[in-house]
Amino acid sequence: MASAKIVYASMTGNDEEIADVLEEAFENLNVDIDVSEISQTDAAEFEDYDICIVVTYTYGDGELPDEAVDFFEDLQEEDLSGKIFGCAGSGDTFYDDFAKSVDDFAEAFKKTGAKEGAPVVKVDLAPEEDDIEALNDFADKLVAAYHAEN
């Protein structure tokens, strides 16, 4: 059975809700899933999972959340070759750099040697019905990428 780790940063609860939607999607796909808050997680924990996911919000004009900076820096030092990754998160379309932290984490994952299993998913504020469908599709693609490699 495939295993997945979701690490999330959430200020308003939107990204925690995104992580919850993904957790349920992975459970429905028979994936062993673990979810934790980013400030309580070490990037090296991803080494123990097949599928690695970061869910984050973007602060202000495109900045990483303060609680995610150390994890972001540590992630880039990991060797996650053979792993599948995906990134999702919320932002506000009011800002020019909409959900930029999601893209930043995707770039950080690429430095680890992990393979991107699905395009990033960006949610405008809180997830709506169409976002939930996109997140379910995101989970499906990540699991399919894992099975294609194994």
Side-chain angles (χ1 to χ4, degrees):
M1 174 186 290
S3 63
K5 173 79 171 175
I6 299 172
V7 177
Y8 72 91
S10 189
M11 178 186 286
T12 61
N14 292 341
D15 290 277
E16 185 173 6
E17 186 176 346
I18 291 168
D20 290 344
V21 168
L22 288 172
E23 179 179 21
E24 184 176 334
F26 282 112
E27 286 172 350
N28 291 337
L29 293 166
N30 295 315
V31 173
D32 183 27
I33 183 76
D34 185 46
V35 181
S36 62
E37 206 281 323
I38 202 161
S39 66
Q40 306 299 313
T41 311
D42 188 288
E45 290 181 36
F46 277 143
E47 294 174 16
D48 300 329
Y49 296 89
D50 303 311
I51 303 169
C52 310
I53 303 106
V54 168
V55 176
T56 186
Y57 65 96
T58 299
Y59 191 75
D61 290 318
E63 291 96 40
L64 289 170
D66 286 344
E67 69 271 26
V69 172
D70 288 343
F71 186 93
F72 178 80
E73 291 171 356
D74 292 345
L75 176 62
Q76 296 176 74
E77 302 299 319
E78 293 297 316
D79 179 1
L80 299 177
S81 302
K83 309 288 184 189
I84 301 297
F85 81 86
C87 297
S90 68
D92 186 338
T93 54
F94 171 81
Y95 292 96
D96 292 334
D97 289 323
F98 172 61
K100 182 179 178 294
S101 292
V102 176
D103 296 326
D104 291 343
F105 266 102
E107 288 305 311
F109 264 120
K110 289 175 184 173
K111 293 178 182 177
T112 70
K115 178 182 176 187
E116 188 169 24
V120 300
V121 174
K122 296 180 178 181
V123 174
D124 186 21
L125 303 174
E128 303 289 336
E129 190 173 327
D130 59 332
D131 299 310
I132 292 170
E133 289 175 23
L135 291 165
N136 285 323
D137 184 54
F138 174 76
D140 287 341
K141 287 179 179 171
L142 289 169
V143 173
Y146 165 76
H147 287 302
E149 296 288 317
N150 294 283

